[in-house]
């Protein structure tokens, strides 16, 4: 029992024999704090006080643990150990056998006491849960803690708000009362009368609901509609069953389970996506999961950034694949009306076989791997943008029909334009092979332009390389076909002499390709303009907003905690490796590091290091520097600004002078140093101090 003093203790000691000790340690009676021997020998009293302490520990959010002991002789233990070893080695009903043998000794224990330890939340858990809630993700907490501990953890991690309506389901109230409470709560949630609803249930109550499928379905329906659910004292099997029940209720919902211990393995494997956290609990959960992270807050970047990117890329990959196939084979269908539907092909057989393999495989792969419709900082700062995946905005029936209509309109327009511009007016050669080369070239240019440039928001060197490889590859292929057909007779396609000797010399041939490409891309722009003004999306809006410097800076500040590691860590490309003969890569890297340290560019200097024990970015600022860095550019009309991500943006200088001559006169009049002067001072206090010294010397 704890002893709490109510006044300052006073102790007097006899210096001779220390025998007379006058102490007024506590002003109150010690019997209020230390129970008598009679009470200590009373088991009921000990159990009652222990349970009271456990409840107090649970309310504080501590993990509780009971200690008990039992004395047994060696013979009894040896006999029990043999049975326990046989139970663990049994092939049938292994868990039941272990429980049965364990109960032989797990009885008549003497209560020793109770203890509690503090289980702190990881860094950034409340903020991560808040952003996940804003993204529209429902959160369930399945834990083995006591109800009081689980509720306290719910408050600390912001799973339960101060204004939340907490509905506690307990088997002690009876199944009828539980059923009425769940039905009433579901009606209140549907009516919108509850601002924030949290359902709390324990493992014992959950076991009773599992025996009645009707009550279980009612609980799952309430849990899906509620904002959060807390299942305390839940076994690993119950955790897995909860995940499976949610998946069976609505197959369109995607479930994600995240855990850090071995008792979460069944739950992780039952979910659509399993995430394991590596840490002090071990690696069991991480090894059996789909994705492994080090901390819970990293789930934000995994879902809001990479999850959205994966959905957008997959959707555009599928849409671009259907688009190019529809666009290509509709031209074949329209050509059949001129051949009485005999099945004659507009395209040469080798080129037809290589359309998907060589000429249009890179654009769909490029957009399916590298597309980023919004910046990661924007997605982390505005979690509501994650709703694009939940609402199926990137791939749905309406969007699919729009892509099909686009491919159909382009195919019909280009085909009839080809017949009328070149087919009936060719000066040299209007055979099938000439029409084949024109249409094939136009298709490849338009498809690659749309997939690699128009549909990709972040057009990079890879996109242009993909476009150039596909288009240039088709040009090279046309010349390779002439060599391939030298030993092969073709009565329809004059491949050997057509391009080099006939229609390749016709100006109308090249002009037709240019006109058809312009027509096809113009139709694409028309569709995109109509879609942008009639059905604008949140993505379109934020793509415009993140180009504004002030808004982009604000987005990066809001997402700095999640993105700071990638923004401040030294990139591999910044490590200079000097050429040294007969040295391995490791020694090259070591030599480069030593060279940088000697030059002062890199090293453990406290003046230039942001984080202890890490590599130093050669361009990073000293500690205490402002987050926003502005410095003059080479032009007087612009100034460069460095954002938190390290990106340098050039902005127009609003304080520029009207002319260079006026600027020089102004600077000379007020004795202002130019920006390239080594003694340039931007501190106003330093400038004033220097001017005082100069005036004093003059006087």
């Amino acid at each position: 029992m704890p002893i709490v003093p109510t006044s300052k203790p006073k102790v007097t000691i006899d210096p001779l024999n220390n025998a007379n000790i006058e102490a007024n340690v506590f002003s109150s009676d010690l019997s209020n704090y230390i129970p008598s021997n009679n009470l200590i020998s009373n088991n009921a009293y000990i159990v009652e006080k222990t349970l009271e302490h456990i409840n107090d520990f649970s309310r504080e959010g501590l993990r509780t643990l009971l200690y008990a002991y039992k004395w047994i002789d060696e013979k009894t233990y040896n006999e029990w150990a043999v049975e326990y070893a046989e139970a663990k080695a049994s092939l049938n009903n292994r868990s039941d056998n272990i429980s049965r043998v364990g109960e032989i000794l797990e009885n008549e224990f003497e209560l020793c006491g109770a203890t509690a330890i503090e289980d702190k939340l990881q860094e950034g858990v409340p903020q991560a849960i808040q952003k996940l809630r804003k993204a529209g993700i429902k959160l369930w907490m399945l834990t083995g803690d006591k109800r009081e501990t689980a509720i306290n953890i719910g408050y600390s991690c912001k799973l339960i708000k101060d204004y939340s309506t907490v509905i506690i389901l307990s088997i002690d109230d009876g199944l009828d009362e539980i059923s009425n409470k769940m039905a009433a709560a579901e009606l209140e949630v549907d009516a919108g009368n509850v601002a924030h609803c949290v359902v709390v249930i324990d493992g014992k109550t959950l076991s009773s609901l599992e025996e009645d499928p009707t009550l279980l379905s009612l609980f799952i329906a309430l849990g899906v509609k509620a904002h959060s659910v807390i299942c305390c004292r839940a076994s690993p099997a119950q955790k897995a069953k909860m995940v499976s029940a949610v998946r069976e209720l609505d197959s369109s919902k995607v479930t994600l389970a995240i855990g850090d211990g071995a008792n979460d393995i069944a739950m992780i494997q039952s979910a659509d996506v399993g995430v394991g956290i590596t840490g002090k609990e071990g690696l069991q959960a991480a090894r059996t999961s789909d994705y492994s992270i080090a901390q819970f807050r990293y789930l934000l970047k995994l879902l809001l950034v990479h999850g959205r990117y994966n959905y957008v890329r997959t959707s555009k990959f599928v849409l671009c694949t259907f688009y190019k196939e529809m666009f290509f084979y509709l031209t074949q269908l329209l050509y059949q009306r001129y051949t009485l539907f005999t099945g004659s092909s507009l395209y040469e057989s080798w080129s037809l076989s290589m359309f998907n393999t060589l000429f249009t495989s890179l654009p769909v792969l490029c957009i399916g791997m590298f597309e980023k419709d919004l910046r990661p900082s924007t997605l982390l700062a505005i979690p509501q943008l994650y709703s694009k995946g939940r609402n199926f905005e990137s791939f749905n029936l309406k969007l699919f029909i729009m892509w099909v209509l686009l491919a159909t309109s382009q195919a019909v327009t280009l085909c009839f334009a080809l017949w009328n511009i070149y087919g009936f007016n060719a000066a040299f050669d209007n055979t099938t092979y000439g029409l084949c080369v024109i249409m094939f070239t136009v298709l490849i240019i338009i498809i690659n332009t749309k997939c690699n440039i128009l549909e990709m928001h972040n057009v990079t060197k890879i996109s242009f390389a993909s476009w150039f490889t596909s288009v240039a590859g088709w040009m090279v292929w046309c010349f390779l076909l002439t060599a391939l057909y030298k030993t092969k007779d073709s009565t329809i396609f004059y491949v050997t002499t057509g391009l080099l000797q006939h229609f390749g010399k016709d100006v109308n041939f090249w002009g037709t390709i240019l006109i058809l490409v312009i027509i096809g891309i113009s139709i694409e722009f028309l569709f995109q303009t109509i879609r942008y003004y009639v059905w604008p999306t949140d993505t379109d809006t934020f793509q415009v907003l993140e180009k504004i410097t002030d808004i982009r800076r604000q987005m990066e500040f809001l997402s700095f905690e999640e993105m700071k590691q990638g923004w401040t860590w030294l990139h591999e490309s910044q490590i200079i490796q000097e050429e040294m003969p007969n040295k391995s890569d490791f020694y090259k890297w070591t030599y480069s590091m030593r060279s940088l340290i000697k030059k002062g560019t890199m090293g453990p200097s406290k003046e230039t290091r942001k984080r202890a024990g890490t590599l130093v970015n050669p361009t990073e600022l000293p500690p205490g520097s402002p987050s926003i860095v502005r410095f003059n550019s080479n032009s007087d009309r612009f100034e460069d600004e460095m954002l938190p991500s390290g990106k340098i943006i050039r902005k127009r200088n609003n304080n520029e002078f009207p002319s260079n001559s006026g600027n020089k006169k102004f600077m000379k009049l007020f004795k202002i140093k130019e920006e390239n002067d080594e003694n340039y001072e931007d501190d106003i206090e330093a400038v004033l101090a220097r001017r005082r010294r100069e005036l004093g010397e003059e006087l």
Side-chain angles (χ1 to χ4, degrees):
M1 297 296 295
I3 301 176
V4 182
T6 58
S7 63
K8 186 176 180 180
K10 299 179 181 180
V11 180
T12 303
I13 303 177
D14 188 347
L16 297 178
N17 53 13
N18 295 337
N20 299 323
I21 300 176
E22 179 184 358
N24 183 14
V25 181
F26 303 110
S27 61
S28 60
D29 191 4
L30 294 178
S31 60
N32 294 332
Y33 302 96
I34 301 177
S36 62
N37 294 331
N38 296 331
L39 291 178
I40 293 177
S41 61
N42 189 347
N43 292 331
Y45 174 80
I46 296 299
V47 171
E48 180 181 354
K49 298 302 288 186
T50 303
L51 293 177
E52 180 182 345
H53 294 162
I54 291 176
N55 291 330
D56 293 339
F57 295 153
S58 299
R59 293 190 187 97
E60 296 177 6
L62 304 178
R63 287 185 177 269
T64 59
L65 182 64
L66 284 174
Y67 285 93
Y69 67 94
K70 177 183 179 181
W71 294 100
I72 58 175
D73 54 17
E74 183 177 359
K75 180 180 179 182
T76 304
Y77 173 77
N78 293 333
E79 294 177 355
W80 176 85
V82 173
E83 296 183 10
Y84 187 71
E86 294 177 355
K88 290 196 300 182
S90 60
L91 300 178
N92 298 327
N93 301 326
R94 180 174 176 271
S95 59
D96 296 338
N97 294 334
I98 293 177
S99 300
R100 177 181 54 81
V101 177
E103 292 176 355
I104 297 176
L105 290 184
E106 293 175 356
N107 53 62
E108 299 180 357
F109 279 99
E110 292 290 337
L111 180 61
C112 184
T115 185
I117 60 174
E118 184 179 8
D119 189 9
K120 290 186 177 180
L121 294 174
Q122 292 181 350
E123 179 185 357
V125 172
Q127 294 78 5
I129 290 179
Q130 186 176 2
K131 286 192 174 183
L132 291 176
R133 290 177 53 81
K134 290 181 179 180
I137 299 175
K138 297 291 185 68
L139 299 174
W140 289 38
M141 186 175 74
L142 311 178
T143 178
D145 295 330
K146 286 174 57 66
R147 180 191 299 166
E148 293 79 5
T149 305
I151 293 176
N152 189 279
I153 293 175
Y155 277 107
S156 61
C157 68
K158 304 301 181 182
L159 196 64
I160 304 177
K161 305 288 186 178
D162 295 335
Y163 55 86
S164 299
T165 301
V166 181
I167 301 174
I168 300 177
L169 304 178
S170 177
I171 192 61
D172 298 335
D173 299 333
L175 293 178
D176 295 337
E177 180 64 21
I178 293 176
S179 178
N180 296 333
K181 188 180 292 187
M182 289 190 297
E186 186 174 359
L187 292 176
E188 292 293 326
V189 173
D190 293 337
N193 299 329
V194 180
H196 190 265
C197 179
V198 179
V199 180
V200 180
I201 188 173
D202 54 23
K204 185 177 179 181
T205 306
L206 190 58
S207 300
S208 301
L209 295 183
E210 291 175 354
E211 298 176 357
D212 191 343
T214 304
L215 292 178
L216 181 60
S217 60
L218 185 61
F219 167 72
I220 297 297
L222 174 61
V224 172
K225 294 180 181 179
H227 295 85
S228 299
V229 177
I230 297 178
C231 295
C232 52
R233 290 299 187 190
S235 64
Q238 288 177 330
K239 295 180 182 180
K241 192 168 185 179
M242 285 295 97
V243 176
S244 302
V246 173
R247 294 182 60 185
E248 294 173 359
L249 179 66
D250 190 354
S251 58
S252 63
K253 305 295 183 182
V254 179
T255 58
L256 182 146
I258 179 171
D260 61 349
N263 56 348
D264 299 321
I265 293 177
M267 176 184 65
I268 291 174
Q269 293 180 340
S270 300
D272 294 303
V273 181
V275 179
I277 300 178
T278 61
K280 296 182 179 180
E281 296 291 337
L283 300 177
Q284 293 89 344
R287 289 171 179 171
T288 58
S289 60
D290 300 314
Y291 301 94
S292 178
I293 57 178
Q295 294 186 23
F296 181 85
R297 60 191 177 98
Y298 297 156
L299 187 65
L300 283 177
K301 197 172 183 181
L302 179 64
L303 292 182
L304 303 186
V305 179
H306 298 293
R308 177 191 167 96
Y309 283 166
N310 183 62
Y311 169 70
V312 172
R313 292 166 181 171
T314 304
S315 300
K316 286 195 174 183
F317 174 83
V318 176
L319 291 174
C320 288
T321 301
F322 276 98
Y323 164 79
K324 70 184 184 69
E325 300 299 334
M326 183 71 67
F327 191 8
F328 179 72
Y329 287 104
L330 272 180
T331 58
Q332 282 273 53
L333 177 62
L334 295 174
Y335 177 74
Q336 294 303 311
R337 67 188 297 268
Y338 296 100
T339 63
L340 300 178
F341 297 94
T342 57
S344 299
S345 176
L346 173 63
Y347 305 110
E348 185 269 331
S349 59
W350 283 95
S351 301
L352 180 64
S353 302
M354 298 299 172
F355 173 78
N356 289 316
T357 306
L358 297 181
F359 311 122
T360 59
S361 60
L362 286 181
V364 293
L365 290 176
C366 187
I367 196 173
M369 295 171 63
F370 305 108
E371 168 62 351
K372 295 180 180 179
D373 57 342
L374 291 173
R375 298 180 183 274
S377 57
T378 304
L379 297 176
L380 290 170
I382 311 297
Q384 291 83 350
L385 293 172
Y386 186 75
S387 62
K388 183 172 186 176
R390 294 189 298 103
N391 299 330
F392 308 103
E393 295 179 5
S394 289
F395 189 80
N396 50 55
L397 182 60
K398 182 179 71 174
L399 194 61
F400 179 79
I401 292 175
M402 289 182 60
W403 280 68
V404 171
L405 291 177
L406 173 62
T408 303
S409 60
Q410 287 179 321
V412 173
T413 304
L414 295 181
C415 280
F416 285 101
L418 175 62
W419 314 147
N420 291 277
I421 294 176
Y422 183 82
F424 302 127
N425 302 309
F428 290 90
D429 185 359
N430 63 347
T431 58
T432 305
Y433 186 61
L435 299 176
C436 160
V437 175
I438 293 176
M439 183 57 70
F440 212 100
T441 304
V442 171
L443 287 175
I444 291 176
I445 293 176
I446 293 177
I447 291 174
N448 281 273
T449 302
K450 177 177 176 59
C451 297
N452 283 327
I453 299 176
L454 300 181
E455 284 296 328
M456 290 192 69
H457 179 63
N458 60 322
V459 182
T460 60
K461 296 179 181 179
I462 299 177
S463 304
F464 288 107
S466 173
W467 186 94
F468 179 79
T469 302
S470 300
V471 176
W474 161 247
M475 300 300 178
V476 175
W477 176 262
C478 292
F479 291 99
L480 292 178
L481 281 178
T482 59
L484 181 64
Y485 272 85
K486 285 185 178 180
T487 59
K488 179 181 179 181
D489 296 332
S490 178
T491 57
I492 300 178
F493 304 100
Y494 299 101
V495 181
T496 306
T497 58
L499 178 61
L500 299 178
Q501 301 180 13
H502 296 282
F503 58 82
K505 300 179 180 180
D506 190 358
V507 179
N508 295 332
F509 171 80
W510 303 103
T512 302
I513 293 177
L514 179 61
I515 293 173
L516 294 183
V517 169
I518 295 175
I519 292 175
I521 296 178
S522 300
I523 295 174
E524 167 68 22
F525 280 122
L526 179 62
F527 266 75
Q528 291 293 343
T529 303
I530 294 174
R531 184 204 62 79
Y532 183 81
Y533 284 101
V534 177
W535 298 291
T537 62
D538 295 336
T539 303
D540 299 329
T541 303
F542 279 92
Q543 284 177 351
V544 176
L545 291 178
E546 67 183 8
K547 294 181 181 179
I548 303 174
T549 304
D550 295 335
I551 297 179
R552 178 180 172 185
R553 183 196 309 117
Q554 186 67 19
M555 298 292 184
E556 293 187 357
F557 272 122
L558 293 175
S559 61
F560 187 78
E561 289 299 323
E562 292 81 12
M563 300 293 298
K564 62 182 178 181
Q565 183 176 5
W567 287 345
T568 58
W569 186 261
L570 185 65
H571 194 267
E572 184 180 358
S573 60
Q574 297 175 267
I575 300 177
I576 303 174
Q577 293 187 357
E578 301 180 8
E579 294 295 333
M580 294 183 302
N582 302 325
K583 295 288 184 180
S584 63
D585 293 338
F586 174 78
Y587 288 108
K588 286 184 179 181
W589 184 85
T590 306
Y591 184 82
S592 301
M593 292 296 100
R594 292 177 178 175
S595 300
L596 292 175
I597 293 173
K598 289 180 180 179
K599 295 176 183 178
T601 307
M602 179 178 296
S605 175
K606 295 182 179 179
E607 288 75 13
T608 58
R609 180 178 293 278
K610 282 187 176 180
R611 302 177 315 280
T614 59
L615 294 176
V616 179
N617 192 329
T619 61
E620 71 182 11
L621 298 173
S625 301
S627 300
I628 298 298
V629 182
R630 290 185 177 91
F631 50 92
N632 295 330
S633 62
N634 296 329
S635 175
D636 294 334
R637 302 181 59 189
F638 297 94
E639 66 175 8
D640 294 335
E641 177 176 343
M642 181 182 293
L643 297 179
S645 60
K647 180 68 175 180
I648 299 177
I649 297 178
R650 175 161 294 184
K651 297 179 61 178
R652 183 177 294 275
N653 190 352
N654 297 326
N655 299 325
E656 62 180 1
F657 297 103
S659 62
N660 291 334
S661 60
N663 188 1
K664 297 291 185 180
K665 292 179 180 179
F666 185 87
M667 296 175 67
K668 185 176 181 181
L669 178 63
F670 289 93
K671 297 183 179 181
I672 299 178
K673 303 291 184 179
E674 297 191 33
E675 61 183 19
N676 56 359
D677 191 348
E678 295 180 356
N679 299 322
Y680 174 72
E681 298 171 337
D682 56 354
D683 189 358
I684 186 64
E685 297 295 337
V687 174
L688 293 176
R690 179 175 53 81
R691 292 293 296 139
R692 293 192 192 98
R693 290 195 301 269
E694 293 177 356
L695 290 174
E697 294 175 357
E698 293 177 359
L699 294 176

